[in-house]
Amino acid sequence: NAGVTQTPKFRVLKTGQSMTLLCAQDMNHEYMYWYRQDPGMGLRLIHYSVGEGTTAKGEVPDGYNVSRLKKQNFLLGLESAAPSQTSVYFCASSILAGTYEQYFGPGTRLTVT
Amino acid sequence: DAKTTQPNSMESNEEEPVHLPCNHSTISGTDYIHWYRQLPSQGPEYVIHGLTSNVNNRMASLAIAEDRKSSTLILHRATLRDAAVYYCILRDVDNAGNMLTFGGGTRLMVKP
């Protein structure tokens, strides 16, 4: 039982390049989330999904797209990376809505030059 | 979600108890109080949550004021591994997306 895993762990992009971050969970959770964390700050929600085939916008969705084609995977895409997207990205999952705890992945550190 | 206020940082000595405060004066009746912590270079992890009564688990205790306008996370014996940023988060039971809204948290430093 690996929990929540994220690929890759580190990445450096040039401005304008695109990439996809992969999040996978093996806990059969319905809900999945993408957050970003800038230095010295708390996490901010980018997008989330309440089930396979669904996605919704969070607090800071601009410049990102997501897809949830399979229940266990949640992909975060950057179509044209900008230096403002330099951040640490965390994926999380939870079993259901309400007040269930979220389980977080180890993070992906992305630098856009 | 209602807002929480936490001190930016706190210090503790190893093996001593730590009381981390959180103010949430605008809490609603359906808000649960959650605590997460983030160890250095890791994702956040769940610590504990409660609604009205005090709660205990293997990691910590949560003491909730009678009027629910404040709460305290209690680590009974701090270890070096407890050095982390602790986030106090309010979550409405009707939060359809089960989302977390993180503030700045309290950075706990533990001295040997």
Side-chain angles (χ1 to χ4, degrees):
Chain A
N1 188 332
V4 179
T5 58
Q6 294 182 231
T7 310
K9 288 184 172 47
F10 303 93
R11 186 72 186 269
V12 178
L13 286 180
K14 292 190 189 319
T15 296
Q17 286 185 321
S18 63
M19 78 164 294
T20 300
L21 282 67
L22 171 64
C23 175
Q25 53 94 4
D26 61 2
M27 297 173 283
N28 202 36
H29 284 174
E30 290 293 333
Y31 288 59
M32 296 187 74
Y33 311 83
W34 276 108
Y35 294 87
R36 62 176 286 173
Q37 185 173 34
D38 299 326
M41 297 180 65
L43 283 71
R44 292 182 293 169
L45 183 66
I46 305 171
H47 285 280
Y48 66 100
S49 167
V50 300
E52 182 179 316
T54 75
T55 62
K57 294 181 180 179
E59 181 186 355
V60 288
D62 293 341
Y64 305 95
N65 56 74
V66 288
S67 64
R68 182 101 182 267
L69 298 179
K70 292 183 180 180
K71 185 176 183 178
Q72 63 268 33
N73 295 338
F74 195 28
L75 279 62
L76 178 71
L78 286 72
E79 290 188 348
S80 179
S84 61
Q85 294 177 305
T86 293
S87 191
V88 181
Y89 291 85
F90 290 100
C91 176
S93 71
S94 71
I95 188 165
L96 284 174
T99 59
Y100 292 92
E101 66 180 279
Q102 289 188 14
Y103 294 81
F104 284 81
T108 294
R109 186 174 296 275
L110 175 66
T111 301
V112 183
T113 61
Chain B
D1 290 326
K3 187 179 165 66
T4 63
T5 304
Q6 300 178 252
N8 289 334
S9 63
M10 290 184 65
E11 267 191 9
S12 172
N13 293 317
E14 195 176 13
E15 299 190 3
E16 288 186 357
V18 182
H19 291 232
L20 296 162
C22 181
N23 287 319
H24 29 78
S25 58
T26 60
I27 191 170
S28 74
T30 53
D31 281 333
Y32 280 74
I33 302 158
H34 284 244
W35 284 82
Y36 281 73
R37 73 178 185 180
Q38 187 174 20
L39 302 171
S41 300
Q42 294 188 27
E45 63 176 348
Y46 168 82
V47 177
I48 199 167
H49 78 280
L51 182 62
T52 56
S53 304
N54 295 345
V55 184
N56 300 295
N57 66 20
R58 64 175 179 82
M59 289 180 73
S61 296
L62 176 60
I64 301 172
E66 198 167 332
D67 64 4
R68 300 207 330 122
K69 293 184 185 299
S70 66
S71 60
T72 302
L73 180 70
I74 303 165
L75 307 180
H76 295 286
R77 288 185 66 211
T79 68
L80 296 178
R81 195 192 174 277
D82 291 321
V85 178
Y86 287 77
Y87 297 99
C88 171
I89 300 169
L90 300 184
R91 299 177 73 191
D92 193 301
V93 69
D94 295 325
N95 181 339
N98 200 32
M99 293 174 284
L100 293 172
T101 301
F102 287 83
T106 296
R107 181 174 299 278
L108 175 65
M109 293 167 279
V110 180
K111 297 183 291 184

